[in-house]
Amino acid sequence: MTLPALFIAHGSPALAVESNDYTHFLNQLGDRLPAPKAIVVFTAHWDCPEPSVTMDDTHQTLHDFYGFPSTMYTMEYPASGQPGLANEICALFTRSNLAHQPIRGRGLDHGVWVPLLHMYPEANIPVIAVSVDSLRTPQEQYDIGRMLEQLRHDDVLIIGSGGTVHNLRLLGNTDEPQEWAVEFDNWIGERLQQWNTRELFQYEKKAPHARTAVPSYGTEHIAPLFYAMGTADMSRSAKRLFQSYPYGTLSLNCWQFGDGV
């Protein structure tokens, strides 16, 4: 069985306790997909130069945020790890001569467990987190994702967790989408659907409002998009499954890559 890859905007950590159209969509998405044997998440909240891979049998739940309701700091997502699959990921990186780091004891950051809490609330599917490197080019990020493409053909769900428009300094007081945010997302979306990597990899120069949508201090949030996209290089199909703009500018979108189930 082949599973699609996903790019999921994880939004605010408060998504963990919210009930809205997006959380309902994530609930339904988890129900719609065949149960994977494991989940691999490229997370925007783990940014380091060499790809790092969690090797643990069990994970702690990281509450890597501040200023939120106290109940959120007691929430747990007790998914297990899968060291065998983590070793396979490392072997695929080695095969491509990519330096990487196996990591133990890190835990799952909110970019991993918050969306999975809605998709798979029972936490009964093993999870492996993989870091991103925001300083690499989109082409390099895509190529790293491509190294893991074969996992999708073996019941592994690969997710890039981040956000396309993720400028926290420009959050508004209304959910009415801001025109500039929509224009940026639409530009990205058109090129995803065309699989126009030539322009997409130059989004910083070519996309409207790119500097506003993806500020220099926040490039790690769009990076998972390219990692996830790369894992569907053979089929090269993209479909937007959801889009909304809480606070007017925080893009909550989900993209499916590949021809999987």
Side-chain angles (χ1 to χ4, degrees):
M1 179 176 64
T2 299
L3 288 171
L6 300 172
F7 172 75
I8 295 177
H10 60 248
S12 161
L15 192 72
V17 294
E18 291 176 347
S19 177
N20 52 40
D21 289 346
Y22 189 49
T23 61
H24 295 160
F25 160 76
L26 292 175
N27 295 154
Q28 294 169 359
L29 181 61
D31 289 337
R32 179 172 65 82
L33 292 170
K37 74 175 187 182
I39 302 169
V40 174
V41 183
F42 287 100
T43 171
H45 288 279
W46 193 6
D47 189 0
C48 51
E50 291 185 349
S52 298
V53 183
T54 57
M55 307 294 293
D56 305 282
D57 290 304
T58 60
H59 299 291
Q60 61 176 320
T61 302
L62 299 180
H63 303 96
D64 51 336
F65 43 79
Y66 61 92
F68 289 90
S70 58
T71 55
M72 291 180 57
Y73 298 93
T74 63
M75 298 182 73
E76 299 289 331
Y77 191 76
S80 67
Q82 193 171 98
L85 179 58
N87 282 321
E88 184 177 350
I89 291 170
C90 290
L92 291 171
F93 288 156
T94 298
R95 186 180 304 170
S96 297
N97 296 314
L98 179 66
H100 58 279
Q101 293 288 335
I103 299 294
R104 291 177 174 81
R106 179 182 185 270
L108 301 179
D109 61 62
H110 76 271
V112 179
W113 68 264
V114 168
L116 292 184
L117 181 69
H118 293 288
M119 293 179 67
Y120 302 105
E122 296 181 1
N124 57 354
I125 300 171
V127 176
I128 295 169
V130 183
S131 68
V132 300
D133 180 3
S134 62
L135 297 181
R136 292 181 188 265
T137 66
Q139 173 76 70
E140 291 171 322
Q141 294 162 351
Y142 181 99
D143 288 343
I144 291 173
R146 188 166 56 179
M147 295 174 193
L148 305 187
E149 183 165 11
Q150 70 181 60
L151 300 180
R152 293 182 38 245
H153 304 289
D154 193 24
D155 301 348
V156 175
L157 178 63
I158 301 179
I159 296 173
S161 173
T164 48
V165 182
H166 196 87
N167 190 333
L168 301 184
R169 296 177 184 176
L170 294 180
L171 298 181
N173 297 317
T174 173
D175 291 344
E176 182 67 26
Q178 294 295 301
E179 184 175 347
W180 63 265
V182 175
E183 287 181 2
F184 176 80
D185 267 343
N186 285 346
W187 188 95
I188 293 290
E190 288 172 4
R191 281 138 189 89
L192 287 174
Q193 290 169 331
Q194 298 162 359
W195 213 269
N196 184 348
T197 55
R198 182 179 61 84
E199 290 197 355
L200 193 60
F201 292 164
Q202 300 181 67
Y203 79 90
E204 291 178 289
K205 296 179 180 178
K206 292 182 175 292
H209 316 291
R211 295 282 184 176
T212 306
V214 186
S216 59
Y217 59 84
T219 55
E220 76 284 343
H221 270 76
I222 198 170
L225 176 73
F226 301 116
Y227 285 92
M229 187 183 184
T231 69
D233 179 73
M234 293 297 291
S235 53
R236 299 194 169 198
S237 64
K239 179 169 63 175
R240 180 156 49 191
L241 304 181
F242 188 92
Q243 181 70 68
S244 68
Y245 293 91
Y247 310 107
T249 64
L250 185 61
S251 180
L252 293 184
N253 53 23
C254 179
W255 283 88
Q256 175 179 311
F257 300 121
D259 299 326
V261 184

